[in-house]
Amino acid sequence: MATMEKARRRTTASSLCAICNQNKAALKRPKTAQQICRECFYSVFEDEIHNVITENNLFKSGERVAIGASGGKDSTVLAYVLSKLNHVHNYGVEFFLLSIDEGISGYRDDSLETVKRNEIQYGLPLKIVSYKDLYGWTMDEIVKAIGLKNNCTFCGVFRRQALDRGASLLKVDKLVTGHNADDIAETVLLNILRGDIARLGRCTYITTGIYSPNAYRGFAREFIKDLERIRPRAILDIIKSGENFRIATSTKMPEQGTCERCGYISSQEWCKACVLLDGLNRGLPKLGIGRTKTINGGGGSGGVKPGTKSRLSNVGMKESRTRSRQYSGSVDF
Amino acid sequence: MASSCGGSGGGGGGCGSQCSSLRDSPSVVGEEGNEILEVVENASVSNGHRSILRCSKCGEETAVYNKLCLDCFRSFLYNKFKVSVTSNAMISPVDCVLVAFSGGPASRVALQFTHEMQLKSQKNWDASKDQQQPLPVFGVGVAFIDERAFYSANNSEIDEAIEEIRLTVSTLFPPAKQLYVEPIEKLFSLDLIEGKARLRKLLDTIDDPTGKDDFLHYLRAISLQKVASENGFNKIILGSCTNGIACHIISSTVKGQGYSLPADVQYIDGRWDVPVVLPLRDFVARDLIMFCHLDRLRTCQIFHQSECGINYLVSSFLTRLQEENPARVRTIVRTAEKLSPFGFNKYKEYISDDMVPSRLRSKVQNLRASESAPLETLCPICGTPLCDSDLVNLKNRKCQVECDVFVSYCCASCRYQIVPKEEDSFNNFYSLLPQLFTRRVKNGLHVDHNQLREQVEEFLLSDDDEECGDTA
């Protein structure tokens, strides 16, 4: 251990790559704090992704896989690396690019151009699904109906579902997203902050990703950036914590059923997108947002289904009963 | 920050003038506390009808905080404290408890309420002396850990503060309580000057500021253990409140200690030689600060948290979150509550059946019957249970040298932020580490609590303490 430390010191002085020890170091990698050259960074980075894929058996030969592409850095890197690894390591996987057009004028146009460029560059077929086609509403129209507040809920819910619907249009077996370590660390933190133990158990699973729009998300992101500045490995440590939480096996995970209306996976009678869409179409756009009592299962922590209502109030009564017992029966020594 | 805590010299008496000065000196209730006081003050001024606001509970007195009058607020807090103590069997009549007192509002309230419970049972004892088998009165002691060797703080100020604490403790009678002032460097050597030098040298080997901060925390915990076992106490009461625990939850998560997290957030922590209990776990700092202010309990913040490192970052993050939603800390603690606790977080056999209130007896017996908790392997530095990946590493590593064995038992977080990586500085670190740490790992076999107790037994002083004379 000590010799490694000394070796690192030496390379710092001459600023040579800590891995190949030949080229000039081009960057200090946040994850390991090593100074390495461009080529070594590429190869280390690609190898790590390859290891994750093989260790977790993410792909099988002959599968069709869609890459959720937003045109941003994460998904562009993902598309590049996956198509490269597919050639190099012969996964035998057929990759597609899948983009969502929310219909926000002046926002998505540029990034869709990037995705179209990626299509040509990496030779991956591209499918663009738009909110307009799927739901009959563009984001611009939704904002007009609901105002500037709370429209993130629509965007988030619709996007998650649009990705899945796009995936089924492409007839793919799997969908990969460019969620990076920062995103997952953020999700772990947010789930602690809002007390969602079931999601806390699920959010670090490598084969799922959840979307959680919140007001304090911004704080959390900033906090993570600050943490990274003090201690780069903190982000990976948060994920490690998330993986190791001792969650009782009896903790009820939200059950995955199907939406009665559209058949999409949902933990409630109606999926969140249908509730929101129903509200929009009936001219009640606030339906399903926030902590109001929605009629048809608002999903998450907000809504209460008619069937569960009586049960919930029972629990409440039970709690108050035990509390009053505790107060009246405390014993003095 | 520079001002002394509380009045100088013999400032114990005239409460009125002191309390009006409370708001002027930030060191009295801490900066956060001062802000809260201001907010409350402003709210009542802006309402403009302060005298009209009546207590929402009794409807008679003037409401001073949260729509409650002082008496109702006080009995609300005291009842909450009593419920958390009795329903978790934290103090049994034969116990001798040591209250860890820092001078801050949380531990001040813990001390006050423990004293009131003791006073009540003393009255019961006095009244029922003629009858058969009255319940004995539990003993209470107070410990203050003097950390000035860690901070290069002003000596005279700290001496004054300690005098102040002595005065506070002496007013809490009957029954009289003994105050133990324990310099933290005493862990290193009985000679304080040498101990201080060793502590400084040891701290120099730790590079990471957060690691240093946490190490001080572990030293403090072990000092309390030492005071408790040397003076015949069998429980330690910590004044950790919801805010502190929420900070701990987030910072443990950030340090990758997700696995061991639930161990630190329960009411009872029995992994140490002397079990530690947290009766204030469900109290929000805001309430405690307000109570100290309103009830004229003198508090002082003697040592200040260092303003760098992860712990500081986390606490400022939480402060910010609370501005958005004041109940956020409670949510965080509730989340962590849902994680499965460890075997040592349950009642242990240290409660004898006949001393348990009849209401709780069946609960305790049930727990005892189902007790088959596996023995956890604990990190010798921070005492957190090792997770599976750490244990796998431990099995794979075959170490011969004593200090290598020690490192292999440390958790990943301590290995990263506390244990020095370079060989020379590590050897230095290991040689300076107090025996209480190194003894936890012996010859590659982890010592369990009972074994540890047997080993320490001969070093424990046997002189009985009058203050906590065991009447049973």
Side-chain angles (χ1 to χ4, degrees), chain A residues 255-289:
Chain A
E255 264 174 51
Q256 271 198 359
T258 47
C259 171
E260 284 177 5
R261 202 171 170 203
C262 66
Y264 176 71
I265 50 162
S266 162
S267 52
Q268 309 284 335
E269 253 170 70
W270 279 17
C271 70
K272 185 84 177 163
C274 283
V275 174
L276 293 174
L277 204 56
D278 188 47
L280 275 176
N281 291 333
R282 281 164 46 191
L284 300 164
K286 302 262 181 204
L287 204 65
I289 299 176

Coordinates of all heavy atoms in Angstrom, one line a residue, chain A residues 255-289:
Chain A
E255 N -46.6 -3.1 -5.0 CA -46.8 -4.2 -5.9 C -46.9 -3.7 -7.4 O -47.5 -2.7 -7.6 CB -48.1 -4.9 -5.5 CG -48.0 -6.1 -4.6 CD -49.3 -6.6 -4.1 OE1 -50.1 -6.9 -5.0 OE2 -49.5 -6.8 -2.9
Q256 N -46.5 -4.6 -8.3 CA -46.6 -4.2 -9.7 C -47.8 -4.9 -10.3 O -47.8 -6.1 -10.5 CB -45.3 -4.6 -10.4 CG -44.2 -3.5 -10.4 CD -43.2 -3.7 -11.4 OE1 -43.2 -4.6 -12.2 NE2 -42.2 -2.8 -11.4
G257 N -48.8 -4.1 -10.5 CA -50.0 -4.6 -11.2 C -50.0 -4.0 -12.6 O -49.0 -3.5 -13.1
T258 N -51.2 -4.0 -13.2 CA -51.3 -3.3 -14.5 C -52.5 -2.3 -14.3 O -53.4 -2.5 -13.6 CB -51.7 -4.3 -15.6 OG1 -52.7 -5.2 -15.1 CG2 -50.5 -5.1 -16.0
C259 N -52.3 -1.3 -15.1 CA -53.3 -0.2 -15.1 C -54.6 -0.7 -15.8 O -54.5 -1.3 -16.9 CB -52.7 1.0 -15.9 SG -54.0 2.3 -16.2
E260 N -55.7 -0.5 -15.2 CA -57.0 -1.0 -15.7 C -57.3 -0.3 -17.1 O -58.1 -0.8 -17.8 CB -58.1 -0.7 -14.7 CG -58.1 -1.7 -13.6 CD -59.2 -1.4 -12.6 OE1 -60.0 -0.4 -12.9 OE2 -59.2 -2.0 -11.6
R261 N -56.7 0.8 -17.3 CA -57.1 1.6 -18.4 C -56.2 1.4 -19.6 O -56.7 1.2 -20.7 CB -57.1 3.1 -18.0 CG -58.0 3.9 -18.9 CD -58.1 5.3 -18.3 NE -58.7 6.2 -19.3 CZ -58.6 7.5 -19.3 NH1 -57.8 8.1 -18.4 NH2 -59.2 8.2 -20.3
C262 N -54.9 1.4 -19.4 CA -54.0 1.3 -20.5 C -53.2 0.0 -20.5 O -52.4 -0.2 -21.4 CB -53.1 2.5 -20.6 SG -52.0 2.7 -19.3
G263 N -53.2 -0.7 -19.4 CA -52.4 -1.9 -19.4 C -51.0 -1.8 -19.0 O -50.2 -2.7 -19.0
Y264 N -50.6 -0.6 -18.8 CA -49.2 -0.3 -18.4 C -48.9 -0.7 -17.0 O -49.9 -0.7 -16.2 CB -48.9 1.2 -18.6 CG -47.6 1.7 -18.3 CD1 -46.5 1.3 -19.0 CD2 -47.4 2.5 -17.1 CE1 -45.2 1.8 -18.7 CE2 -46.1 2.9 -16.8 CZ -45.0 2.6 -17.5 OH -43.8 3.0 -17.2
I265 N -47.7 -1.0 -16.6 CA -47.5 -1.4 -15.2 C -47.8 -0.3 -14.3 O -47.5 0.9 -14.5 CB -46.0 -1.9 -15.0 CG1 -45.0 -0.9 -15.5 CG2 -45.7 -3.3 -15.5 CD1 -43.6 -1.0 -15.0
S266 N -48.4 -0.7 -13.2 CA -48.8 0.4 -12.2 C -49.0 -0.3 -10.8 O -49.4 -1.5 -10.7 CB -50.1 1.0 -12.7 OG -50.8 1.6 -11.6
S267 N -48.8 0.5 -9.8 CA -49.0 -0.1 -8.5 C -50.4 0.2 -8.0 O -50.8 -0.2 -6.9 CB -48.0 0.5 -7.5 OG -48.0 1.9 -7.5
Q268 N -51.1 1.0 -8.7 CA -52.5 1.4 -8.4 C -53.5 0.9 -9.4 O -53.1 0.2 -10.4 CB -52.6 2.9 -8.3 CG -51.6 3.5 -7.4 CD -51.8 3.4 -5.9 OE1 -53.0 3.2 -5.5 NE2 -50.8 3.4 -5.1
E269 N -54.7 1.2 -9.2 CA -55.7 0.7 -10.2 C -55.5 1.4 -11.6 O -55.5 0.7 -12.6 CB -57.1 1.2 -9.7 CG -58.0 0.1 -9.2 CD -59.2 0.6 -8.6 OE1 -60.1 1.2 -9.3 OE2 -59.3 0.6 -7.3
W270 N -55.3 2.7 -11.5 CA -54.9 3.4 -12.7 C -53.5 3.8 -12.6 O -53.1 4.2 -11.5 CB -55.8 4.6 -12.9 CG -57.2 4.4 -13.5 CD1 -57.8 3.2 -13.5 CD2 -58.0 5.4 -14.0 NE1 -59.0 3.3 -14.1 CE2 -59.2 4.7 -14.4 CE3 -58.0 6.7 -14.2 CZ2 -60.3 5.3 -15.0 CZ3 -59.0 7.4 -14.8 CH2 -60.2 6.7 -15.2
C271 N -52.8 3.8 -13.7 CA -51.4 4.3 -13.6 C -51.4 5.8 -13.5 O -52.4 6.5 -13.8 CB -50.5 3.8 -14.8 SG -51.0 4.7 -16.3
K272 N -50.3 6.3 -13.0 CA -50.2 7.8 -12.7 C -50.5 8.6 -14.0 O -51.2 9.6 -14.0 CB -48.8 8.1 -12.2 CG -48.7 9.5 -11.7 CD -49.2 9.7 -10.3 CE -48.9 11.1 -9.9 NZ -49.7 11.5 -8.7
A273 N -50.0 8.1 -15.1 CA -50.1 8.8 -16.4 C -51.6 8.9 -16.7 O -52.1 10.0 -17.2 CB -49.3 8.2 -17.5
C274 N -52.3 7.9 -16.5 CA -53.7 7.9 -16.9 C -54.5 8.8 -16.0 O -55.4 9.5 -16.5 CB -54.3 6.5 -16.8 SG -53.9 5.4 -18.1
V275 N -54.1 8.9 -14.7 CA -54.8 9.8 -13.8 C -54.6 11.2 -14.2 O -55.5 12.0 -14.3 CB -54.3 9.6 -12.3 CG1 -54.9 10.6 -11.4 CG2 -54.6 8.2 -11.8
L276 N -53.3 11.5 -14.5 CA -53.0 12.9 -14.9 C -53.7 13.2 -16.3 O -54.2 14.3 -16.4 CB -51.5 13.0 -15.1 CG -50.6 12.9 -13.8 CD1 -49.2 12.9 -14.2 CD2 -51.0 14.0 -12.9
L277 N -53.7 12.3 -17.2 CA -54.2 12.5 -18.5 C -55.7 12.7 -18.4 O -56.3 13.6 -19.0 CB -53.9 11.3 -19.4 CG -53.9 11.5 -20.9 CD1 -52.9 12.6 -21.2 CD2 -53.5 10.2 -21.6
D278 N -56.3 11.9 -17.5 CA -57.8 12.0 -17.3 C -58.1 13.4 -16.8 O -59.1 14.0 -17.2 CB -58.2 10.9 -16.3 CG -59.7 10.9 -16.1 OD1 -60.4 10.8 -17.2 OD2 -60.2 10.9 -15.0
G279 N -57.3 13.9 -15.8 CA -57.5 15.2 -15.3 C -57.4 16.3 -16.4 O -58.2 17.2 -16.5
L280 N -56.4 16.1 -17.2 CA -56.2 17.1 -18.3 C -57.4 17.1 -19.2 O -57.9 18.2 -19.6 CB -54.9 16.7 -19.1 CG -53.6 17.2 -18.6 CD1 -52.5 16.7 -19.5 CD2 -53.5 18.7 -18.6
N281 N -57.8 15.9 -19.6 CA -58.9 15.9 -20.6 C -60.2 16.3 -20.0 O -61.1 16.8 -20.7 CB -59.1 14.4 -21.1 CG -57.9 14.1 -22.0 OD1 -57.2 14.9 -22.6 ND2 -57.5 12.8 -22.0
R282 N -60.4 16.2 -18.7 CA -61.7 16.6 -18.0 C -61.6 18.1 -17.6 O -62.5 18.6 -17.0 CB -62.0 15.7 -16.9 CG -62.6 14.4 -17.3 CD -62.6 13.4 -16.2 NE -63.0 13.9 -14.9 CZ -62.9 13.2 -13.7 NH1 -62.3 12.1 -13.7 NH2 -63.4 13.8 -12.6
G283 N -60.5 18.7 -17.9 CA -60.4 20.1 -17.6 C -60.1 20.3 -16.1 O -60.3 21.4 -15.5
L284 N -59.6 19.2 -15.4 CA -59.2 19.4 -14.0 C -57.7 19.0 -13.9 O -57.3 17.9 -13.3 CB -60.0 18.4 -13.1 CG -61.5 18.5 -13.1 CD1 -62.1 17.3 -12.5 CD2 -61.9 19.7 -12.3
P285 N -56.8 19.9 -14.4 CA -55.4 19.5 -14.5 C -54.8 19.2 -13.1 O -53.7 18.6 -13.1 CB -54.8 20.7 -15.2 CG -55.7 21.8 -15.0 CD -57.1 21.2 -14.9
K286 N -55.3 19.7 -12.0 CA -54.7 19.6 -10.7 C -54.9 18.2 -10.2 O -54.3 17.8 -9.1 CB -55.2 20.6 -9.7 CG -55.0 22.0 -10.2 CD -53.7 22.6 -9.6 CE -53.6 24.1 -10.0 NZ -52.2 24.6 -10.0
L287 N -55.7 17.4 -10.8 CA -56.0 16.1 -10.3 C -54.8 15.2 -10.3 O -54.1 15.1 -11.2 CB -57.1 15.4 -11.2 CG -57.9 14.3 -10.6 CD1 -58.8 14.9 -9.5 CD2 -58.8 13.7 -11.7
G288 N -54.5 14.6 -9.1 CA -53.4 13.7 -9.1 C -52.1 14.3 -8.7 O -51.0 13.7 -8.7
I289 N -52.1 15.6 -8.4 CA -50.9 16.3 -8.0 C -51.0 16.7 -6.5 O -52.0 17.1 -6.1 CB -50.7 17.6 -8.8 CG1 -50.6 17.3 -10.3 CG2 -49.5 18.3 -8.4 CD1 -50.5 18.5 -11.1

